[in-house]
């Protein structure tokens, strides 16, 4: 079972769904400041508008919300595509390329999260990356039909 790439790729797909849905849930949470400093920061995040040019003036909270929803949608998008390919029993030669693309995208995402964020996104993207790496390593090598 651990030597089958479908096990690792399925695990990565499940972790993509879990990460995506958990970050979508965070979009609907409200945060209560614990002290006056946090209240001031939260007020500035939600009310101070940035002149971004071309008539755009988002708050920092708007920007954070956009990036959080983008992360969640990336995870869900990848999971849906990966789940579809697993469901269709796509041949290993195609899956090696798909897993490689996932590995590159989620590797960069993991490195970015590890440098800039906190434990939950680091852990989520790390689980996805490790499972994709394992899937890439154990996917069968297909010999070329070109003679």
């Amino acid at each position: 079972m651990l030597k089958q790439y479908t096990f690792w790729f399925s695990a990565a797909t499940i972790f993509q769904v879990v990460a995506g849905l958990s970050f979508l849930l965070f979009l609907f949470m409200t945060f209560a400041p614990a002290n006056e400093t946090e209240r001031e920061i939260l007020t500035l995040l939600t009310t101070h508008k940035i002149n971004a040019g071309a008539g755009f003036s988002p708050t920092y909270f708007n920007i954070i919300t956009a990036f959080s929803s983008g992360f969640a949608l990336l995870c869900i998008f990848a999971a849906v595509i990966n789940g579809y390919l697993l469901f269709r029993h796509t041949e290993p030669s195609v899956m090696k390329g798909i897993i490689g693309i996932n590995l590159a995208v989620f590797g960069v995402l993991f490195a970015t999260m590890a440098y800039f964020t906190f434990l939950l996104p680091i852990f989520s993207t790390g689980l996805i990356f490790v499972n994709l790496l394992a899937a890439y390593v154990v996917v069968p090598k297909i010999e070329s039909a070109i003679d």
Side-chain angles (χ1 to χ4, degrees):
M1 178 162 80
L2 295 178
K3 292 185 179 184
Q4 294 179 353
Y5 81 94
T6 54
F7 171 80
W8 296 106
F9 195 55
S10 298
T13 302
I14 290 167
F15 287 130
Q16 287 170 334
V17 170
V18 170
L21 292 178
S22 65
F23 276 86
L24 280 178
L25 289 175
F26 280 123
L27 294 175
F28 300 105
M29 294 177 65
T30 57
F31 300 97
N35 55 44
E36 191 55 42
T37 304
E38 287 183 10
R39 183 179 329 281
E40 185 177 343
I41 291 171
L42 192 57
T43 301
L44 286 172
L45 282 173
T46 56
T47 60
H48 179 71
K49 295 187 180 247
I50 306 160
N51 183 3
F56 291 98
S57 55
T59 64
Y60 283 104
F61 190 77
N62 296 140
I63 294 169
I64 292 167
T65 302
F67 283 122
S68 292
S69 62
F71 170 71
L73 293 173
L74 169 69
C75 288
I76 291 170
F77 177 72
V80 168
I81 289 175
N82 295 340
Y84 176 76
L85 293 171
L86 282 166
F87 177 74
R88 298 291 295 178
H89 302 288
T90 306
E91 64 184 68
S93 63
V94 174
M95 290 302 282
K96 182 141 184 132
I98 297 296
I99 294 168
I101 293 168
N102 273 269
L103 191 59
V105 169
F106 282 93
V108 171
L109 185 62
F110 174 52
T112 304
M113 294 295 179
Y115 188 76
F116 288 113
T117 65
F118 53 98
L119 196 55
L120 181 62
I122 295 169
F123 185 69
S124 299
T125 55
L127 281 173
I128 294 167
F129 179 73
V130 166
N131 281 279
L132 287 170
L133 185 60
Y136 191 80
V137 168
V138 299
V139 70
K141 302 212 183 328
I142 304 299
E143 296 298 321
S144 176
I146 300 172
D147 292 339

